[in-house]
Amino acid sequence: MLFPTLAFGLFFLVAFLLNWLTRPHPMIWKIVMLGVSIFFYGWWNWRFVFLLLWAITSNWVAGTQIDKHLCAGSKRLAKNWMRTAIVGDLVLLGVFKYYDFFAVELSNLLGSSATVPLLELTLPVGISFFTFQAMSYVIDLHRRDIDPMPMLDFAVYLSFFPQLVAGPIVRAAEMAPQIRKQPDPRRVASGEAFHLILRGLFKKVVISSWLASAIVDDVFSNPESHSSQDVLIGIYGYAIQIYADFSGYTDIAIGVALLLGFRFPTNFDRPYSALSLREFWKRWHITLSSWLRDYLYIPLGGNRGKQSDTYRNLLLTMVLGGLWHGSTWNFVIWGFIHGIALSVERILPNRRNHPVIRWFVTFHIVCFAWVFFRADSLSSALDVIRALASLPSSAELTSSLSVLLLVGMMAAQFVPYSKSEDLKRILSRQRILVQGLTFGFGLVLIDLFGPEGVAPFIYFQF
Amino acid sequence: MEDETDTEPNPHPHGGFPAGKVFLSGIAGFILAAAINSGALLADAEQLPDSRSRSVSVAIWSPIEKIASTLKLTWPRNVGDFLLGRNEGEDQIDLRREQIGAVPQPSAEEWPALSPEKPPPTYELDQTTAVASEPVWSSGNPFTIWVLGDSMVQFFGETFVRMAERSSLVAATSEPKLASGLSRPDYFDWPARISDVMTEYDPDAVVLMFGGNDAQNIKTDEGQWLKRFTAEWEEEYRSRIALVMDLATGTEERVVLWVGQPPMRGEGFDSRMKQLNDLYRLEADSRLDVHYLDLQSLFTDENGAYARYLPDSSGKLTDVRLTDGVHLSHWGGEWLSEFLLDEIEKFPGLDGLWGE
């Protein structure tokens, strides 16, 4: 059930009604919300509901044991339970997402002497997101950063449908208090929510889909037959496409959660305005980058050791972050480029350079890495780079509209946050009926300008 | 509220509204959107495969569209569609109907009977087809190839174009239309498009690949729904295959390749695609100028089963299919493209078109 569909619209109306009708009765509300979220997840493939239930049960049991042993002063046992839960989550992720990748590489390494059997399993949607949330729960419990959650609370948290399939990665510390405390049903932030949902739909349905079909897909599927200008615009186009796609999804998820009385953390903050790679990662997919920082980079030693250790930690974190997106060498290379660039930034700080130069360098490193992220194989990525480096010839794909759209989207990255929220403020000040009708008319405009049939969100595959 | 004291202070700067009013305003917004968009929503519903959900959707949107049109609520959308040039599909449907009348169609009796017991005819490329008596291909007068079809073409078409155009003597074009096929000309009218391409571009070779979206009920010109894989359905679907094949061949000396569906991961879907492949093969075999290409052996493992990873010529395992178990991966697209180029080169006068 994709967000920009009529099916989701109808589903959400029912979910909204059930949410607020049952909210005064916490136990009933939790059972209802769990049921609603499971229905939402089962819409894709009902078999994977059992996987989600397994992740809920196993991590909750482990969390309870961690808390019990910590209270009893048995730190070793608590640590063992945490490790068991993390290994369990990684096995789940490994079997469905990485096994075949490593089996194929191993088979090719061994040559004809041995063949490693393949599983060829379908990747359950959202598995990377809910396993990461589950891991953060048991780690935070072990660190005593949070209290253990009751079973139903934890089930509602891990399965909560607005963020279940493509984030943002909301931590238990952020969700648990919101599940416990009842929001005021007389003060639903409808203006802000309608604004976020419309903005997200516009980014996804109009901008992302248009860029994909008008230029990006063509350039990446057949780079050699396009001019270097077209290829360059295609790469810029993908940078905007993936931003519009994923931040659009996040906007909708945050808006939907707001209507249910939940506030999710910000996941994007004008990432292409960053003046360094470090700043980029503070603005792009913030919930993933902070997850990687808190549960991988810092435990590895962060920047506390020798310089060389810091570079190693950065590289390892970014490569594993790349691998989180998918089991291909392209994602590994994407992470590697970011890891190297972050390390080089530490060796050669460019703070003295003019901000325009710093922005230019940062943006183009990010775009270069996107080539590997988007291309469907290593050789395709190299084809794109070769085509980019070829002699300039006439641009056929690039239209004034695509250039205008790219420039407009880039310019929007530099609009101050307070200004960019003006629309939200204006909508929030309107009477409720005006808000609803504006929302309806916005849907019509988005459907009008969007192409026929909208592809699934890019981040659903992760 | 059971516990009024446990409510959070209002975190929203603009106060917010009661949930009931938000619900009603959301409903009002949806009603407004549904009314203005009812024409587009009804069209979407009509394009669904024949099923209960289609019947329900059409039953819901038809009266809404009627009421909205009567109240002139649909005009903003109509104006928008007009300004964006979106009302151009109807000519194509008419064109298709004209063509069905113009192209002679064999009667059902003339077709070989489809029997599950009958082994599928073996594919033999008809080498007698003359592409051109004295072909003089040059960069100024290239050998032109068009690849047309559904989303399967989307995934290998551009790769094919790139590989075909490694020869400066070849100009290739790929034109996929997602979610299309021969079952639903109301969604996309392939016969009309193929006719246009043949008339306008007169390609030397045409590669066609359909079927992925076609195992569904068919609506006849008389408005009757035919249940998929019944005798009536097969007769109608074969007439559509025949029409497309005849339009593609025309009277020209043209290479026409019909690419069968590869094996699919889903058992039921795979079985349906095999049934369609039998129909394509039968229609192609009844024509001298259409050549059916079987992909079953190209994309199966040593046990003859679907496989996502297959060894390439050097024995290295390569992922040839996407995770959806249907479409071809980048490498799968290269395999298929290479196979197609080899097949095209087998025609008289075309050997060595891509060198050794």
Side-chain angles (χ1 to χ4, degrees):
Chain A
M1 204 185 304
L2 298 173
F3 280 169
T5 58
L6 189 63
F8 180 78
L10 295 174
F11 161 82
F12 184 70
L13 281 178
V14 176
F16 179 89
L17 207 57
L18 289 174
N19 174 69
W20 290 108
L21 285 176
T22 59
R23 203 62 169 103
H25 314 285
M27 183 61 76
I28 297 172
W29 173 79
K30 286 170 198 169
I31 293 168
V32 165
M33 284 316 287
L34 180 62
V36 164
S37 294
I38 284 176
F39 175 82
F40 174 80
Y41 194 62
W43 188 273
W44 267 284
N45 189 332
W46 63 269
R47 290 176 187 88
F48 293 142
V49 166
F50 298 105
L51 201 69
L52 178 62
L53 293 177
W54 166 252
I56 290 169
T57 313
S58 60
N59 286 284
W60 181 79
V61 168
T64 312
Q65 291 300 315
I66 290 166
D67 183 62
K68 191 178 99 183
H69 291 301
L70 283 176
C71 290
S74 176
K75 287 186 180 172
R76 194 177 54 84
L77 280 173
K79 195 166 199 167
N80 284 346
W81 271 103
M82 180 191 70
R83 284 178 174 162
T84 308
I86 292 173
V87 168
D89 290 329
L90 290 176
V91 165
L92 205 65
L93 206 54
V95 166
F96 282 96
K97 195 162 177 175
Y98 301 108
Y99 175 83
D100 279 354
F101 171 67
F102 288 110
V104 166
E105 293 304 322
L106 192 61
S107 289
N108 288 336
L109 202 67
L110 297 171
S112 55
S113 58
T115 306
V116 183
L118 300 175
L119 296 176
E120 299 200 7
L121 298 171
T122 306
L123 183 68
V125 67
I127 190 170
S128 307
F129 290 92
F130 68 70
T131 48
F132 266 42
Q133 290 192 167
M135 279 192 273
S136 75
Y137 172 70
V138 290
I139 296 169
D140 285 350
L141 264 180
H142 183 259
R143 289 175 178 172
R144 293 214 175 237
D145 287 344
I146 55 168
D147 293 325
M149 292 171 81
M151 175 76 172
L152 257 180
D153 287 32
F154 182 67
V156 169
Y157 156 58
L158 210 61
S159 67
F160 195 49
F161 74 87
Q163 42 86 23
L164 177 61
V165 292
I169 301 172
V170 189
R171 304 221 191 145
E174 292 158 321
M175 276 290 278
Q178 300 192 66
I179 292 173
R180 257 195 325 269
K181 296 218 172 197
Q182 295 172 22
D184 188 344
R186 295 163 303 181
R187 292 171 184 274
V188 178
S190 51
E192 187 179 354
F194 287 152
H195 167 257
L196 280 167
I197 294 170
L198 284 180
R199 189 172 77 181
L201 286 172
F202 181 76
K203 282 188 202 169
K204 166 63 186 167
V205 177
V206 181
I207 294 176
S208 169
S209 302
W210 191 85
L211 282 172
S213 59
I215 186 160
V216 177
D217 289 349
D218 264 353
V219 163
F220 277 87
S221 60
N222 196 8
E224 288 167 359
S225 55
H226 296 297
S227 68
S228 51
Q229 292 100 308
D230 278 344
V231 174
L232 184 66
I233 294 292
I235 296 169
Y236 289 155
Y238 184 66
I240 297 296
Q241 184 204 338
I242 190 167
Y243 167 71
D245 195 285
F246 193 24
S247 73
Y249 174 87
T250 307
D251 283 346
I252 301 168
I254 295 173
V256 162
L258 259 182
L259 286 174
L260 298 175
F262 285 82
R263 190 166 283 274
F264 283 173
T266 305
N267 212 20
F268 289 90
D269 179 18
R270 298 161 295 144
Y272 294 138
S273 65
L275 302 184
S276 67
L277 260 295
R278 201 174 168 190
E279 189 187 347
F280 174 78
W281 280 106
K282 285 179 179 172
R283 292 171 175 275
W284 176 271
H285 203 172
I286 298 165
T287 56
L288 175 67
S289 54
S290 62
W291 195 102
L292 293 171
R293 181 196 63 208
D294 294 347
Y295 302 110
L296 192 59
Y297 178 66
I298 291 174
L300 281 170
N303 56 3
R304 293 188 301 266
K306 288 183 293 183
Q307 283 283 58
S308 57
D309 290 347
T310 304
Y311 304 145
R312 180 205 61 200
N313 297 339
L314 276 173
L315 210 56
L316 206 57
T317 303
M318 296 315 295
V319 165
L320 288 173
L323 210 51
W324 176 87
H325 289 85
S327 51
T328 69
W329 287 112
N330 277 33
F331 289 122
V332 173
I333 292 169
W334 174 77
F336 187 77
I337 292 169
H338 276 278
I340 290 285
L342 283 164
S343 302
V344 170
E345 264 184 12
R346 282 179 173 268
I347 301 167
L348 305 167
N350 67 350
R351 284 187 213 105
R352 284 185 201 159
N353 292 329
H354 192 277
V356 174
I357 296 172
R358 288 161 64 192
W359 169 81
F360 185 86
V361 171
T362 304
F363 179 65
H364 284 84
I365 291 171
V366 170
C367 285
F368 178 69
W370 283 139
V371 172
F372 292 89
F373 195 95
R374 169 60 178 81
D376 47 14
S377 69
L378 186 54
S379 64
S380 300
L382 297 176
D383 286 345
V384 173
I385 292 164
R386 261 194 298 273
L388 184 65
S390 64
L391 286 174
S393 54
S394 63
E396 289 172 2
L397 276 178
T398 308
S399 64
S400 47
L401 182 61
S402 53
V403 172
L404 200 68
L405 191 63
L406 293 180
V407 171
M409 285 296 287
M410 280 307 293
Q413 301 277 311
F414 295 92
V415 175
Y417 187 74
S418 57
K419 284 279 166 211
S420 69
E421 298 297 290
D422 278 354
L423 268 177
K424 180 183 85 181
R425 275 190 288 273
I426 292 167
L427 191 60
S428 298
R429 281 195 205 106
Q430 305 306 313
R431 301 171 77 168
I432 186 64
L433 185 62
V434 176
Q435 286 185 11
L437 295 179
T438 306
F439 180 66
F441 201 69
L443 292 180
V444 173
L445 288 178
I446 288 164
D447 189 57
L448 177 69
F449 288 109
E452 259 183 60
V454 176
F457 290 93
I458 294 172
Y459 264 69
F460 274 32
Q461 62 187 295
F462 307 140
Chain B
M1 297 285 287
E2 279 179 351
D3 186 2
E4 282 289 331
T5 57
D6 204 21
T7 54
E8 282 186 327
N10 172 30
H12 316 304
H14 303 292
F17 289 94
K21 286 189 175 177
V22 173
F23 180 76
L24 291 176
S25 81
I27 294 277
F30 271 120
I31 289 173
L32 177 75
I36 296 177
N37 252 0
S38 55
L41 288 164
L42 178 61
D44 286 348
E46 284 172 341
Q47 283 174 5
L48 289 172
D50 182 37
S51 59
R52 189 180 294 172
S53 75
R54 181 188 185 277
S55 309
V56 171
S57 300
V58 171
I60 290 171
W61 293 117
S62 291
I64 294 175
E65 195 273 335
K66 202 164 272 180
I67 294 167
S69 303
T70 311
L71 297 174
K72 308 279 182 210
L73 290 173
T74 51
W75 71 265
R77 174 69 198 230
N78 295 340
V79 169
D81 282 335
F82 175 76
L83 292 175
L84 294 173
R86 291 262 175 89
N87 297 321
E88 291 169 353
E90 289 177 9
D91 290 345
Q92 292 188 345
I93 303 289
D94 293 343
L95 182 59
R96 177 187 166 265
R97 293 204 179 107
E98 286 161 20
Q99 287 158 348
I100 288 172
V103 176
Q105 295 177 62
S107 67
E109 293 76 40
E110 286 175 287
W111 287 321
L114 189 66
S115 151
E117 287 81 33
K118 186 187 167 202
T122 49
Y123 166 65
E124 283 176 15
L125 197 64
D126 176 26
Q127 298 286 0
T128 60
T129 304
V131 175
S133 43
E134 289 297 329
V136 192
W137 313 118
S138 66
S139 50
N141 176 35
F143 182 77
T144 53
I145 310 172
W146 274 69
V147 188
L148 302 158
D150 56 23
S151 58
M152 293 298 284
V153 171
Q154 171 95 1
F155 284 91
F156 82 88
E158 287 300 324
T159 305
F160 176 85
V161 169
R162 177 170 54 81
M163 291 171 69
E165 291 188 345
R166 279 179 188 162
S167 164
S168 59
L169 308 180
V170 177
T173 306
S174 150
E175 192 177 288
K177 174 72 181 170
L178 295 184
S180 68
L182 306 184
S183 286
R184 300 299 300 270
D186 53 326
Y187 171 67
F188 188 76
D189 194 358
W190 270 112
R193 181 59 195 148
I194 288 166
S195 175
D196 284 349
V197 170
M198 300 309 131
T199 311
E200 199 171 333
Y201 302 100
D202 188 19
D204 300 303
V206 183
V207 178
L208 301 165
M209 191 173 189
F210 298 105
N213 307 301
D214 280 350
Q216 59 170 294
N217 299 351
I218 282 178
K219 195 178 189 179
T220 62
D221 286 346
E222 292 75 39
Q224 185 198 354
W225 283 100
L226 305 175
K227 201 166 165 49
R228 71 177 178 190
F229 296 122
T230 56
E232 297 79 24
W233 183 93
E234 276 184 12
E235 190 178 321
E236 173 66 22
Y237 189 67
R238 285 181 65 173
S239 76
R240 295 181 185 197
I241 303 169
L243 173 65
V244 165
M245 286 181 176
D246 292 339
L247 286 168
T249 47
T251 54
E252 304 293 325
E253 294 171 336
R254 183 180 291 140
V255 174
V256 179
L257 300 178
W258 189 288
V259 186
Q261 292 292 314
M264 302 295 179
R265 186 173 59 202
E267 225 170 88
F269 189 51
D270 185 50
S271 151
R272 292 193 288 276
M273 290 305 104
K274 284 192 167 77
Q275 288 185 67
L276 292 184
N277 282 347
D278 285 344
L279 301 180
Y280 303 140
R281 190 198 307 268
L282 285 172
E283 282 303 324
D285 287 351
S286 67
R287 287 165 177 76
L288 276 178
D289 304 326
V290 181
H291 307 281
Y292 176 78
L293 300 178
D294 187 8
L295 298 190
Q296 292 291 315
S297 56
L298 194 64
F299 289 107
T300 45
D301 61 14
E302 66 272 19
N303 304 316
Y306 165 90
R308 183 178 167 199
Y309 297 92
L310 287 169
D312 64 11
S313 53
S314 65
K316 190 181 161 205
L317 274 179
T318 309
D319 58 332
V320 292
R321 307 297 288 267
L322 292 184
T323 50
D324 62 10
V326 176
H327 297 102
L328 301 177
S329 70
H330 171 78
W331 297 114
E334 287 209 349
W335 281 28
L336 176 55
S337 301
E338 211 165 286
F339 173 68
L340 290 173
L341 297 182
D342 285 348
E343 292 300 317
I344 293 171
E345 269 195 320
K346 286 180 186 171
F347 284 83
L350 298 181
D351 54 324
L353 198 56
W354 287 280
E356 290 304 315

